[in-house]
Amino acid sequence: MLVRRISYYDEFICLQGACPQSCCKGWRIPLDDRAIRRFRKEKGLLGLELKLAMHGKAQPSFSPYCIRCPFLRLDGRCDMQLRKGERYLADICRVYPRIIACPGPYAELQLDLSCVHVAELFLAHADAQYFVEEESDAEYERTGDNEDMEYLEMLGKSRDELCSFVIAAADAEALDAALRKLAAFGGRVQDRMMREGISEAEALAEGAELLKSEATDLPCFPLPIALLNDLMSTDFYQDALRYVLPFLYKLCKMYYRHFDKLSYEQGEKELQRMFAKYIAEKPQRVHMYAAYYKSCLLRTYMECYEDYSFLKHILLGVIGSNMIMLFDLLWHEKYGKTADEDLAKIISVCERRIYHNEAVGKEMMKLLIKRSDGI
Ligand code: SF4
């Protein structure tokens, strides 16, 4: 089987006890059916611990209140893995942060930036994100139901095109224009395919034409402060973050302390000032934001093969890039620099909140569409 691995895939090794932002804290851990059967059969002390740890009848999970996995030891290592080995763990614990997609004749292996170490690897390879292809004996379970191979191929080409389009943006203005065009592309392709029923080939070709035309007047990067403020006012920020994702809580507090006392007009001027100052000091940062957007496309765009939600996948990347940029600016303003390890933590918590909390991502996306009067 043809296997494509993201260029830095093999470099990932879990930091375990040395991880500054363990994935065993801050979210619910859903269990797969095989793990549930295995855990229910377990006898003795571990059996009792598992029974106490599993919450919910139909589809039990660990850590239902998103605080921490009960098997996470004080030294940051997994107690269950140490006692029973990696194979015993639930699928999600064994596979995370790897993303394995097998839509048909090939498999794609990528890494999830919600893991802080993956975010560090991304930053080290921001300029070199590509797939390494090889024929492999490994077999991967088919993901999804669509069997339209022609559409799959078209979608792959479309993703390559969008990735090179966004990464070509040399400065902030060009990145803004590129994201505006991508948003228009997503809206048009989705509408034409889903509402008007035209063929995938036609819709994608029409969309590609939009990339050559004038950008719409919807600002995409940076988003206006009024819109960023609205996004912050969704469930993205909650008091419970203090316990669930303390680093994101700290970032949100930094935002409110900085902008709360300002009117929208003053806030917009302040955002523009911070952005211009930062980009003047670190012009290459724009390239990192573009590379982050590219990584969103690489990881999620092919989901359109199953869900046809072009706009969703394009806008979530716009939201993610903007939230990361906002916190990057605030951090830099406060501490005089954003080291890569801090930026990796910023990326990781934003990814957790936007991409791994479906309700939050959906709410933010709807708001973006509404505030921009549709796309
Ligand atoms: S977040 Fe990543 S590096 Fe940290 S414990 Fe989880 S998998 Fe390991």
Side-chain angles (χ1 to χ4, degrees):
M1 172 178 249
L2 179 68
V3 176
R4 294 184 183 145
R5 290 190 319 277
I6 194 71
S7 40
Y8 49 94
Y9 188 84
D10 291 338
E11 288 180 42
F12 173 75
I13 297 173
C14 174
L15 300 177
Q16 298 192 19
C19 182
Q21 208 157 255
S22 170
C23 56
C24 308
K25 290 184 204 163
W27 46 25
R28 200 175 64 83
I29 301 165
L31 304 174
D32 56 285
D33 292 344
R34 271 180 301 197
I36 295 167
R37 284 198 293 277
R38 194 160 60 241
F39 294 167
R40 282 189 173 143
K41 274 193 214 147
E42 188 64 50
K43 301 261 185 303
L45 180 61
L46 179 60
L48 178 65
E49 287 172 50
L50 282 162
K51 273 185 196 75
L52 293 172
M54 286 161 72
H55 292 263
K57 283 205 172 91
Q59 203 64 36
S61 61
F62 290 160
S63 180
Y65 305 111
C66 304
I67 305 296
R68 62 183 282 140
C69 175
F71 292 97
L72 176 64
R73 296 174 13 149
L74 287 177
D75 65 1
R77 297 163 78 199
C78 170
D79 191 42
M80 197 193 302
Q81 183 171 355
L82 290 169
R83 283 152 84 180
K84 299 287 280 188
E86 194 184 337
R87 282 168 63 86
Y88 188 80
L89 304 180
D91 282 353
I92 197 160
C93 304
R94 268 188 308 108
V95 173
Y96 180 85
R98 297 165 194 89
I99 304 168
I100 300 173
C102 182
Y106 63 85
E108 269 187 14
L109 312 185
Q110 302 199 54
L111 292 168
D112 192 324
L113 269 70
S114 60
C115 158
V116 68
H117 186 43
V118 172
E120 286 170 351
L121 290 174
F122 155 73
L123 289 172
H125 294 79
D127 277 336
Q129 299 179 81
Y130 54 88
F131 287 112
V132 179
E133 292 194 351
E134 68 174 14
E135 278 299 330
S136 160
D137 292 340
E139 283 301 323
Y140 293 94
E141 240 172 79
R142 181 83 193 272
T143 45
D145 306 315
N146 199 342
E147 298 201 342
D148 184 348
M149 293 303 139
E150 228 176 294
Y151 175 41
L152 180 66
E153 202 181 316
M154 279 186 281
L155 208 52
K157 283 192 186 141
S158 163
R159 179 177 65 177
D160 292 347
E161 202 175 336
L162 298 189
C163 283
S164 33
F165 185 71
V166 82
I167 212 75
D171 56 29
E173 220 173 295
L175 181 57
D176 178 44
L179 294 187
R180 291 178 196 210
K181 288 185 188 185
L182 253 71
F185 166 95
R188 170 75 70 89
V189 172
Q190 185 169 315
D191 256 17
R192 295 284 276 149
M193 250 187 230
M194 300 305 285
R195 288 207 197 141
E196 297 166 35
I198 73 162
S199 74
E200 287 88 349
E202 247 180 295
L204 286 168
E206 267 184 24
E209 281 305 307
L210 281 182
L211 300 181
K212 296 180 201 149
S213 59
E214 281 295 297
T216 62
D217 55 6
L218 162 81
C220 275
F221 194 86
L223 288 171
I225 195 71
L227 199 39
L228 287 170
N229 193 61
D230 286 347
L231 290 172
M232 288 289 300
S233 309
T234 61
D235 269 354
F236 180 82
Y237 169 73
Q238 283 182 345
D239 257 353
L241 285 179
R242 183 196 299 256
Y243 311 105
V244 170
L245 265 181
F247 186 69
L248 183 58
Y249 181 77
K250 174 178 171 171
L251 295 173
C252 293
K253 284 288 172 201
M254 277 167 77
Y255 167 78
Y256 285 119
R257 266 196 294 272
H258 199 97
F259 283 98
D260 241 12
K261 53 187 181 298
L262 306 178
S263 66
Y264 278 150
E265 204 182 319
Q266 291 167 328
E268 187 57 37
K269 275 195 192 141
E270 174 63 357
L271 180 72
Q272 294 299 337
R273 179 197 69 77
M274 287 163 74
F275 187 73
K277 181 177 150 224
Y278 193 32
I279 297 307
E281 265 176 53
K282 283 187 137 225
Q284 70 282 18
R285 208 45 150 200
V286 173
H287 186 63
M288 190 285 294
Y289 297 135
Y292 169 76
Y293 191 85
K294 176 180 170 179
S295 99
C296 296
L297 285 177
L298 288 176
R299 285 174 292 136
T300 69
Y301 186 73
M302 294 305 283
E303 288 172 24
C304 296
Y305 186 49
E306 295 293 332
D307 64 14
Y308 296 84
S309 298
F310 287 82
L311 195 52
K312 168 180 149 189
H313 299 302
I314 281 177
L315 290 187
L316 284 179
V318 171
I319 292 169
S321 321
N322 273 279
M323 299 313 279
I324 289 165
M325 176 274 305
L326 177 65
F327 295 135
D328 187 12
L329 291 188
L330 286 161
W331 194 273
H332 182 265
E333 191 77 8
K334 180 159 184 191
Y335 298 107
K337 66 169 190 164
T338 314
D340 272 4
E341 66 208 57
D342 300 318
L343 186 56
K345 280 164 76 180
I346 292 173
I347 293 174
S348 150
V349 288
C350 288
E351 284 261 330
R352 287 187 192 195
R353 202 72 189 143
I354 298 166
Y355 280 99
H356 286 276
N357 190 321
E358 212 180 317
V360 170
K362 207 167 165 185
E363 193 190 355
M364 295 175 95
M365 191 188 60
K366 277 191 175 162
L367 194 138
L368 189 57
I369 294 176
K370 200 166 144 205
R371 292 286 188 276
S372 52
D373 287 333
I375 291 168

